[in-house]
């Protein structure tokens, strides 16, 4: 593999204090919001870049992250993560931006589905695209190539990773839909939920205003006129 490793990658599985804690209560406040509204609730922070796309059309997900740091082009530790993953957890893979080798395909997606994982986000590429769609596990990635990677390691599980340009810590919450993928820091859930609710309330009002014929809002007109437009 000729992709460059940034820094050292160990061969270790860290225990995550949060991993055994109940989490569904925590995500209740985030349920039902689009990633756009969650992003507004976070003032635009923690949004993965546009290269991370849904590989399964219509797939949505919301759940805590099990993080995996992989050697570029190698998915050994993703196999271990598939064994460890718990109900509803979303596997978040940092491949250091390697898009030359597919790190997940139909069989690994089936294994994650069998484990009742919430989904997977790979900052890299997959293969077996048609079959992965049939499996139905929510999968987000940068695209696909046909060539598989190695299974030699090293790799790390439950360490902070970088995925789609955002730091993801084990146990942070991941939400994804057709617009993209956002990361909700665990300690910010209540604030983000309140911010997202404020935005959806505003949108209801604004939808009605548009229906009633207010095409451009007063505050936008004020900004335009301040710029002499
Ligand atoms: O073999 C691999 O590494 C990926 C793959 O095709 C599968 O999971 O079906
Ligand atoms: Mg395959």
């Amino acid at each position: 593999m000729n992709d460059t490793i940034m820094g050292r990658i160990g061969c270790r599985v860290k225990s995550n204090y949060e991993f055994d804690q109940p989490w569904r209560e925590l995500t209740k406040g985030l349920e039902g919001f689009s990633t756009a509204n969650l992003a507004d609730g976070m003032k635009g922070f923690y949004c993965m870049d546009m290269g991370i796309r849904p590989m399964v059309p219509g797939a949505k997900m919301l759940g805590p992250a099990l993080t995996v740091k992989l050697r570029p082009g190698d998915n050994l530790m993703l196999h271990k993560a598939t064994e460890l993953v718990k109900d509803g957890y979303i596997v978040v893979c940092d491949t250091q931006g390697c898009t030359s080798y597919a790190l997940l395909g139909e069989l690994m997606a089936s294994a994650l589905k069998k484990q009742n994982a919430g989904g997977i986000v790979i900052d890299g590429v997959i293969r077996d695209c048609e079959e992965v769609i049939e499996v139905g596990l929510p999968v987000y990635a940068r695209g696909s190539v046909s060539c598989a990677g190695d299974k030699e390691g090293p790799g790390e599980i439950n360490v902070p990773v970088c995925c789609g340009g955002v730091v993801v810590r084990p146990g942070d919450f991941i939400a994804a839909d057709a617009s993209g993928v956002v990361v909700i820091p665990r300690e910010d859930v209540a604030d983000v939920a309140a911010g997202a609710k404020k935005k959806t309330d505003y949108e209801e009002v604004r939808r009605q205003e548009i229906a009633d014929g207010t095409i451009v809002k007063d505050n936008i007109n004020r900004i335009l006129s301040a710029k002499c437009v």
Side-chain angles (χ1 to χ4, degrees), residues 74-213:
D74 186 289
N75 69 359
L76 179 73
M77 276 305 196
L78 182 51
H79 288 269
K80 185 67 187 170
T82 300
E83 182 190 75
L84 293 176
V85 73
K86 297 196 172 170
D87 196 20
Y89 269 72
I90 293 168
V91 179
V92 178
C93 299
D94 177 354
T95 75
Q96 303 202 344
C98 173
T99 52
S100 309
Y101 305 93
L103 300 182
L104 174 124
E106 174 206 355
L107 299 178
M108 295 185 73
S110 304
L112 285 167
K113 178 93 177 167
K114 173 79 179 155
Q115 293 282 65
N116 216 16
I120 182 166
V121 192
I122 304 182
D123 194 334
V125 291
I126 70 161
R127 66 178 186 172
D128 303 333
C129 292
E130 285 97 341
E131 293 86 348
V132 166
I133 290 171
E134 271 169 37
V135 170
L137 178 84
V139 177
Y140 285 72
R142 289 201 182 275
S144 64
V145 295
S146 299
C147 180
D150 291 336
K151 293 165 189 0
E152 291 166 11
E156 303 183 33
I157 291 177
N158 274 335
V159 295
V161 297
C162 181
C163 188
V166 180
V167 171
V168 184
R169 301 163 306 167
D172 283 343
F173 291 106
I174 306 296
D177 60 20
S179 296
V181 184
V182 299
V183 183
I184 300 122
R186 248 190 125 78
E187 60 276 21
D188 293 352
V189 166
D191 286 349
V192 175
K197 171 84 172 64
K198 197 168 157 198
K199 183 60 191 272
T200 51
D201 289 350
Y202 161 77
E203 284 177 339
E204 276 205 9
V205 172
R206 183 66 194 131
R207 267 184 213 111
Q208 191 54 51
E209 283 177 3
I210 294 167
D212 293 343

